[in-house]
Structures are given as structure tokens and as C-alpha cells.
Amino acid sequence: MSSIRHLFAAAAVTLALGVAAPQAQDLPDLAGRTIVAVTENAYVPLNFADPATGQGVGFEYDLFNEIAKRLNAKVDWQLASWDVMIQAVRDGQFEVGMDGITINDERKAQIDFSDSYLTSQQLMLVRADETRFTDAATFAPNADFLVGAQAGTTNFYVAVYNVLDGDEANPRIKLFDTFGASVSALQSGDVDTVLMDQTSANGYIGANPGAFKVVGTPLGAEDFGFILTPGSDLVAPINAALTAIKADGTMDQLQQKWFYEYNAAQ
């Protein structure tokens, strides 16, 4: 766990560097506007349903609620599956979307992004007793080893191009409707690894003691951003609030809550 903590500590420092915090009065005032935001509730610890209450909780919930508070806005939380989320935000059904969505050029051509609110790395999550392979290089040659993924996600493309042979139709990639379903398949032995960012891997390991571990080295870094309808007038206000949140220590506090304290409590 020490290496994971070091990674998050480094990420927190990176997020906080180089930006002076705007004063509260310098932030845009949205005059009580209601922002329609969407997530999936299937990405521990970013967004998920609290088992005790059924309410949506997680790092992204807390972060965006804090953004709205600073902008004098309210949030109308909605749910949608990952496979329709980007299109729904693009069409204006929702104003803002979040689900650990990686900022990349292909998506930038479809939607607007906020600044990055989290930098994470892709890792190979495996069952805790896995000994047949130790990294991507020893996984790839054995045709019997399977990867679980959601189509169109960063995890899927990293599996295709960084672990396997670049064939997006490779039958070694088993597709699932939700991220949680792919992890369940890993736990039951239906697949042999699921690729995920450091944030999520840390969450699943913490929530399921003795069930999972990470093997190999990071397969690359990715920046997460909120997605917005093209031309949205919310991009600049959200970025201004993010700048303040990163600079005044609030981002560090949220990371501590969800990436350390939450896992320790499981």
C-alpha cells in the first residue's frame, strides 16, 4: 500500500502546484442556477451507491458539489450508463457528466472538457492468488488469459493497444455493460485481469480485503475531466472553482477522504 499512497501523494502535489487561489469573491456567481449533472454510480470510489442508503456518494460527487457551492449553484443529480453518457451530454440532455472520463483528442472533438481534476494511471487488477503472470509482458503471450472491459473506455483501449495486439475485436477481451460487472467477473474467475486507474484499483482492493492485488507497472497516465455540452457557459466557472479547490487544500482533503480514509474503513 505504501507505493499507492506515494502515487496519490504525488498526484495531490501535482494538482496543487503552480496556481494561486482566487478569492471567493472572484469566482463567478451563478445566482442559484441548477446544474443538471450525470454519473453512473458504478466506479468506486469516484461514484457509487452507498450500500446503507442507496444515495450516490464518492469523490466526484463531493468535488462537484463543492464546485457548485462555490459558484452559488445547485446540482440536479441524474444517472445514465457509460455507453450513452457522452452522447447525452453532447446533445444537451445533461449539462455536465463525470465517470472517471479521460481527456483525449477524440472526445474533445465531440464534447467540451473541464480542466483535469485527477491524474491517474492504468494498472492490471488481478485476483490476490494470481501467480501465472506478473505483468503485461507475461500476460500477452498466453491466449488463455482474458481481459474484462467496457467497450469504448480508456481501460478497453489500453487493453487493446498496450497489453494485447492492437486488434479491437480480439476475442481475449470480454465486454461487460458496467465496470462493476467486469470486476465481478474477475473475482469469479471468468476473466483474468481488469485494467483500471489507480483510484479505482485502490478502492476495490480496500473494499475487498484479500480478494485483489495489482501486478506489473503502470501502463500509462490519464487525466480525468468533467464533460460538458459543446459551447457550454459552465466551462470557465467550473475551471475557476477547480483552480481554487486545488490551491486551497480542499482537493487534498477530498483525496484523503476517498482514497485513504474510505479504503481504511472497508
Side-chain angles (χ1 to χ4, degrees), residues 65-83:
N65 283 335
E66 179 66 20
I67 288 171
K69 176 182 175 182
R70 295 187 184 211
L71 297 175
N72 187 22
K74 302 175 183 177
V75 186
D76 176 10
W77 287 103
Q78 301 289 324
L79 297 178
S81 62
W82 159 256
D83 58 341

Side-chain angles (χ1 to χ4, degrees), residues 7 28 38 78 101 124-125 140 142 150 152 185-186 205 209 220 225 239 241 243 248-249 252 254:
L7 282 169
V38 64
Q78 301 289 324
I101 301 175
M124 297 178 71
L125 189 75
N142 192 323
Q150 279 180 286
L186 172 63
I205 291 170
N239 285 343
T243 296
D248 68 11
D252 294 347
L254 292 178

Side-chain angles (χ1 to χ4, degrees), residues 30 33-38 64 74-76 78 88-98 111-112 226-230 232-235 238:
L30 299 186
R33 171 176 172 176
T34 297
I35 300 171
V36 182
V38 64
F64 199 76
K74 302 175 183 177
V75 186
D76 176 10
Q78 301 289 324
V89 172
R90 180 183 181 185
D91 292 344
Q93 182 178 349
F94 311 107
E95 294 179 276
V96 181
M98 62 206 76
I111 50 174
D112 285 350
F226 300 116
I227 60 172
L228 300 99
T229 305
S232 173
D233 63 349
L234 290 170
V235 174
I238 287 172

Side-chain angles (χ1 to χ4, degrees), residues 18-235:
V19 184
Q23 298 299 314
Q25 61 266 30
D26 293 335
L27 292 178
D29 186 340
L30 299 186
R33 171 176 172 176
T34 297
I35 300 171
V36 182
V38 64
T39 189
E40 188 182 16
N41 272 9
Y43 203 158
V44 180
L46 297 186
N47 60 77
F48 60 102
D50 186 332
T53 66
Q55 296 298 307
V57 296
F59 173 79
E60 289 177 335
Y61 275 101
D62 281 2
L63 176 57
F64 199 76
N65 283 335
E66 179 66 20
I67 288 171
K69 176 182 175 182
R70 295 187 184 211
L71 297 175
N72 187 22
K74 302 175 183 177
V75 186
D76 176 10
W77 287 103
Q78 301 289 324
L79 297 178
S81 62
W82 159 256
D83 58 341
V84 303
M85 188 179 297
I86 291 178
Q87 186 64 47
V89 172
R90 180 183 181 185
D91 292 344
Q93 182 178 349
F94 311 107
E95 294 179 276
V96 181
M98 62 206 76
D99 198 23
I101 301 175
T102 301
I103 301 170
N104 62 37
D105 290 339
E106 180 181 356
R107 290 172 181 159
K108 283 182 178 179
Q110 305 176 59
I111 50 174
D112 285 350
F113 271 100
S114 72
D115 292 340
S116 171
Y117 59 83
L118 187 69
T119 299
S120 195
Q121 296 176 307
Q122 290 289 301
L123 301 168
M124 297 178 71
L125 189 75
V126 301
R127 291 180 293 278
D129 60 355
E130 181 61 72
T131 58
R132 299 168 300 166
F133 58 91
T134 57
D135 54 18
T138 51
F139 177 93
N142 192 323
D144 292 332
F145 296 158
L146 305 177
V147 184
Q150 279 180 286
T153 62
T154 298
N155 318 80
F156 171 81
Y157 290 115
V158 172
V160 170
Y161 295 102
N162 293 64
V163 178
L164 299 177
D165 58 2
D167 178 8
E168 294 184 15
N170 192 316
R172 292 178 62 186
I173 302 177
K174 301 302 179 183
L175 299 179
F176 297 88
D177 291 335
T178 69
F179 190 72
S182 67
V183 178
S184 294
L186 172 63
Q187 191 166 17
S188 65
D190 294 329
V191 298
D192 301 293
T193 189
V194 173
L195 303 188
M196 62 181 65
D197 58 88
Q198 182 72 66
T199 304
S200 193
N202 196 22
Y204 278 106
I205 291 170
N208 301 272
F212 301 114
K213 66 181 179 181
V214 166
V215 298
T217 57
L219 298 171
E222 58 182 1
D223 287 308
F224 294 163
F226 300 116
I227 60 172
L228 300 99
T229 305
S232 173
D233 63 349
L234 290 170
V235 174

